[in-house]
Amino acid sequence: MTIRVIIVDDQAMVRAGFAALLSAQPDIDVVGEAPDGRQGVQVSRTVHPDVVLMDVRMPEMDGLSAARELLDPPPGVVHRPKVLMLTTFDIDDYVYEALRAGASGFLLKDAPPADLIAAVRVVASGEALLAPSVTRRLIADFVDRRPAPRRDPALRLNGLTPRETEVLELIARGLSNQEIAGHLVLAEQTVKTHIGRVLGKLDLRDRAQAVIFAYEAGLVRPGDGG
C-alpha cells in the first residue's frame, strides 16, 4: 500500500528537498504541499493524505493550529490524517501541545534522511511510537512541570481492565506492538485488539496521546525506567 503524504512548510527548499527524498521511495507518494498551515489544511481536505508533515512555526496559521484543525475537524469532515510535526527544537511547547491534540510524533528538521523516511512509515502504520526515548523525554519534561496532577485521566483509568492498563503502561514506555507481545507472551493480533480497546475507552487518537495520558494519569512518572 502506498503512503500518501503532503508537506506543509514555509520554506520552499525544505518542501522540495523532503518531496524529492520521499518521492524516491517505492511505497511513498507526495500528493501535495503548502507554505502555511491554513493552506495545508485546505490541501489535506482536498487530496486526503495518510500523513501530513507539518512544520511547527509558520506564518498565517502555525503548525499547532493546523494540526488541531486536521485532527479535530468540523462536523461533516470525515478524513483525519496522521500528523508528523517538524521542528528545529526537540523540547518545544508547540510540539507537546500538538502531541496532546493528536499528532502522531515529531521529527527534527536536521534528522538524517533515513530517519525522515522511517518516520513517515512508522506514523502511517501506527504500530510503534516514533523515536520513543525522545518522545518520552519531551512528554515527561512537560508533565513534570505541571503544577498539579490532572484528576480526570486517573479516574478514566478505572474503565480499563488490568490487562489493558498493563498494555497502556508498556505503550508509555515506548514498546512497539511486537515488543509488547513478547513481554506479555501474547499474539501480536491480541495486542492490537487490546490497544484498540484502550484507545477507544479513553477516547485517544494514537500512541502519542496514550503516552501523554499515561503520564498525566500517574500510571508512569518522569524518571521511570523503560
Side-chain angles (χ1 to χ4, degrees), residues 2 4 40 79 84 90 114 165 170 185 200:
T2 301
R4 294 165 55 83
H79 179 254
L84 174 60
D90 63 348
T165 302
L170 294 174
V185 196

Side-chain angles (χ1 to χ4, degrees), residues 27-108:
D27 59 335
I28 299 175
D29 188 10
V30 177
V31 295
E33 60 177 66
D36 62 66
R38 194 173 307 283
Q39 291 186 54
V41 172
Q42 294 170 353
V43 171
S44 179
R45 290 190 177 148
T46 300
V47 303
H48 294 176
D50 301 303
V51 177
V52 177
L53 292 179
M54 181 77 74
D55 188 19
V56 169
R57 301 173 192 277
M58 294 180 289
E60 293 296 322
M61 177 187 283
D62 63 39
L64 172 58
S65 300
R68 284 175 171 157
E69 287 214 13
L70 290 176
L71 296 167
D72 188 20
V77 177
V78 177
H79 179 254
R80 292 201 305 176
K82 303 283 183 123
V83 176
L84 174 60
M85 305 303 295
L86 300 169
T87 181
T88 309
F89 310 103
D90 63 348
I91 300 298
D92 190 311
D93 292 73
Y94 279 80
V95 172
Y96 177 74
E97 289 303 328
L99 293 174
R100 290 195 78 221
S104 296
F106 70 99
L107 189 71
L108 297 179

Side-chain angles (χ1 to χ4, degrees), residues 99-178:
L99 293 174
R100 290 195 78 221
S104 296
F106 70 99
L107 189 71
L108 297 179
K109 281 191 174 184
D110 61 357
D115 287 4
L116 172 65
I117 297 164
V120 168
R121 290 171 177 153
V122 166
V123 166
S125 74
E127 294 192 4
L129 185 67
L130 181 62
S133 63
V134 180
T135 302
R136 289 180 67 235
R137 189 178 80 243
L138 173 80
I139 293 169
D141 181 72
F142 280 92
V143 171
D144 201 31
R145 284 197 255 146
R146 289 180 175 273
R150 292 162 48 118
R151 289 170 174 260
D152 178 56
L155 291 174
R156 287 161 65 195
L157 275 176
N158 294 335
L160 301 182
T161 66
R163 176 63 88 190
E164 289 164 354
T165 302
E166 196 172 13
V167 168
L168 175 58
E169 181 179 351
L170 294 174
I171 291 173
R173 296 188 187 284
L175 275 65
S176 67
N177 288 7
Q178 186 176 14

Side-chain angles (χ1 to χ4, degrees), residues 158-223:
N158 294 335
L160 301 182
T161 66
R163 176 63 88 190
E164 289 164 354
T165 302
E166 196 172 13
V167 168
L168 175 58
E169 181 179 351
L170 294 174
I171 291 173
R173 296 188 187 284
L175 275 65
S176 67
N177 288 7
Q178 186 176 14
E179 290 167 336
I180 293 171
H183 186 85
L184 298 178
V185 196
L186 295 172
E188 199 168 337
Q189 187 56 50
T190 303
V191 170
K192 290 181 182 179
T193 300
H194 283 310
I195 292 172
R197 288 174 180 160
V198 168
L199 298 180
K201 286 181 178 181
L202 299 177
D203 193 26
L204 303 173
R205 179 164 168 75
D206 64 11
R207 297 177 103 86
Q209 277 196 327
V211 176
I212 290 173
F213 180 94
Y215 273 96
E216 292 187 343
L219 183 62
V220 290
R221 302 180 186 282

